[in-house]
Amino acid sequence: MASNGVNGEIPEDANEHCPGPQSESAGKADACAGCPNQEVCATAPKGPDPDLVSIAERMATVKRKILVLSGKGGVGKSTFSAQLSFALAEADRQVGLLDIDICGPSIPKMLGLEGHDIHQSNLGWSPVYVESNSNLGVMSIGFMLPHPDEAVIWRGPRKNGLIKQFIKDVYWGELDYLVVDAPPGTSDEHISIVQFLQASGIDGAIIVTTPQQVALIDVRKEISFCRKVGIKVLGVVENMSGLKQHLLDLKFSRVSESGSETDVTEWALNLIREKAPELLNTFACSEIFDSSQGGAQKMCLEMGVPFLGKVPMDPQLCRAAEEGRSCFGDKSCSVSALALKGIIQKLIALE
């Protein structure tokens, strides 16, 4: 094992997809070819990573650990993680939200915590707590960047090292839930979080998707990953399940044959007020993604995993995420908040 890979740590100069210096395939796997540490790793004595003991001790105060996964990016996974955490905290649970999307950390913005720094105490790194709810603490690489636009260009070993540090060195205290927001797909970050938390137990994973087949293809792979590494799939959430918007929030337009567009919102709403005022209290619904083949619900039936429910695409929920606040105290988010509450109640029922 190389000198910069002490205590089983993956050296920073290791190849991508390094199996780890304590692995039986260290220095022998295809991923090790050409690595500067290859010979040392191949001949070094193997043994358990001593940090796993420290991690198990740290996680002993956490009752439930839930991973939030997605097959693709852009399906609203982090929005779901943020609102799930808000809801659990508002239900008087002590909640930690760990953002391990190292290259795309959006959680600080979605919880209104941009610009905050990590502080250290004699117990370890302290999570950043949401001002409106002290039950909810957050940890993310987003708090460590000198500027929110700063790109994180790290290879697998360095990302994995930071994830281990988050698990080992952050002092969460007593938690009812640790929600882990993972990047899309099944990559090094997913393997690392499973490896680091497996000894203390992972209660399961929630997978977020959109209804169309292009997204569901990758969700099937996500379910396969969970089964291979021994993680229970708590259920699948179909997000952006049609657009549902109050009629008064719609904009109306006329498009000419040449393609020019004219806003006629005021005219249309005045006409509705005059001719059909009962429509003013209705919602307009439209299918954004093709769900003609049954969407996530049918896929769950085929794959034998629970279907937790559908959350419509709601511009008010998007606005709440942009502004870093909970959607549950906002009457304008009634459509999405009601759907999310139904899903979250199913998770709480598993306690």
Side-chain angles (χ1 to χ4, degrees):
M1 181 167 53
S3 59
N4 59 346
V6 294
N7 293 331
E9 295 278 2
I10 294 176
E12 287 192 9
D13 59 349
N15 289 354
E16 193 169 6
H17 306 302
C18 168
Q22 294 297 334
S23 168
E24 289 299 324
S25 60
K28 305 169 187 174
D30 291 343
C32 301
C35 176
N37 309 296
Q38 184 174 9
E39 184 178 350
V40 180
C41 286
T43 57
K46 306 297 186 291
D49 183 349
D51 282 338
L52 294 182
V53 176
S54 301
I55 290 170
E57 292 172 352
R58 184 70 88 182
M59 290 291 108
T61 59
V62 179
K63 291 181 183 176
R64 299 169 190 86
K65 294 174 282 295
I66 295 176
L67 308 184
V68 181
L69 310 174
S70 67
K72 285 191 180 300
V75 301
K77 168 190 58 64
S78 293
T79 300
F80 177 82
S81 294
Q83 296 301 325
L84 169 64
S85 301
F86 274 130
L88 291 171
E90 290 167 15
D92 294 324
R93 272 49 173 197
Q94 293 292 331
V95 183
L97 175 53
L98 175 59
D99 180 7
I100 64 165
D101 194 343
I102 305 300
C103 295
S106 54
I107 287 297
K109 180 172 181 60
M110 291 185 174
L111 279 90
L113 297 173
E114 280 187 303
H116 286 254
D117 297 319
I118 298 171
H119 298 285
Q120 191 159 8
S121 70
N122 59 341
L123 296 172
W125 287 358
S126 298
V128 178
Y129 286 89
V130 175
E131 291 180 10
S132 60
N133 196 321
S134 59
N135 288 0
L136 176 53
V138 182
M139 183 56 65
S140 169
I141 192 177
F143 300 133
M144 305 168 70
L145 300 177
H147 190 276
D149 295 338
E150 189 81 15
V152 179
I153 308 173
W154 288 3
R155 302 185 73 171
R158 195 172 179 192
K159 290 191 284 187
N160 298 342
L162 181 62
I163 292 170
K164 177 188 272 193
Q165 198 166 6
F166 280 161
I167 297 293
K168 180 171 68 76
D169 294 341
V170 175
Y171 178 69
W172 296 100
E174 298 280 343
L175 286 184
D176 294 303
Y177 287 91
L178 178 64
V179 178
V180 181
D181 185 65
T186 54
S187 55
D188 288 346
E189 293 94 325
H190 302 78
I191 297 169
S192 294
I193 197 70
V194 170
Q195 176 190 349
F196 299 148
L197 290 181
Q198 214 152 34
S200 59
I202 298 172
D203 291 84
I206 301 168
I207 303 173
V208 181
T209 185
T210 44
Q212 76 275 32
Q213 288 299 309
V214 170
L216 296 174
I217 288 170
D218 290 328
V219 172
R220 292 173 183 272
K221 296 182 178 72
E222 208 78 28
I223 294 170
S224 174
F225 167 81
C226 289
R227 287 173 172 164
K228 285 180 179 179
V229 298
I231 298 175
K232 180 181 180 181
V233 177
L234 299 176
V236 175
V237 174
E238 184 177 282
N239 198 24
M240 306 185 195
S241 185
L243 172 68
K244 190 174 285 189
Q245 192 168 3
H246 197 281
L247 186 75
L248 291 175
D249 293 331
L250 291 175
K251 292 188 180 298
F252 297 83
S253 65
R254 282 199 183 102
V255 181
S256 70
E257 291 183 1
S258 64
S260 62
E261 191 171 332
T262 305
D263 188 301
V264 295
T265 301
E266 187 175 352
W267 169 82
L269 291 178
N270 285 337
L271 186 64
I272 292 170
R273 288 187 184 99
E274 180 185 347
K275 302 293 187 182
E278 61 274 15
L279 292 178
L280 295 174
N281 292 321
T282 63
F283 288 84
C285 305
S286 177
E287 188 173 89
I288 304 298
F289 299 106
D290 178 29
S291 60
S292 60
Q293 297 188 51
Q297 191 165 9
K298 182 181 178 185
M299 183 214 64
C300 286
L301 188 64
E302 293 170 350
M303 297 287 288
V305 297
F307 178 66
L308 292 176
K310 300 180 179 182
V311 180
M313 181 179 285
D314 178 2
Q316 297 299 330
L317 174 60
C318 298
R319 184 172 299 168
E322 284 287 314
E323 295 174 359
R325 55 182 171 82
S326 167
C327 72
F328 300 104
D330 187 344
K331 290 183 180 179
S332 65
C333 290
S334 58
V335 172
S336 52
L338 190 63
L340 285 165
K341 278 182 180 177
I343 292 168
I344 291 160
Q345 286 302 318
K346 292 178 183 179
L347 296 174
I348 291 176
L350 299 174
E351 292 181 358

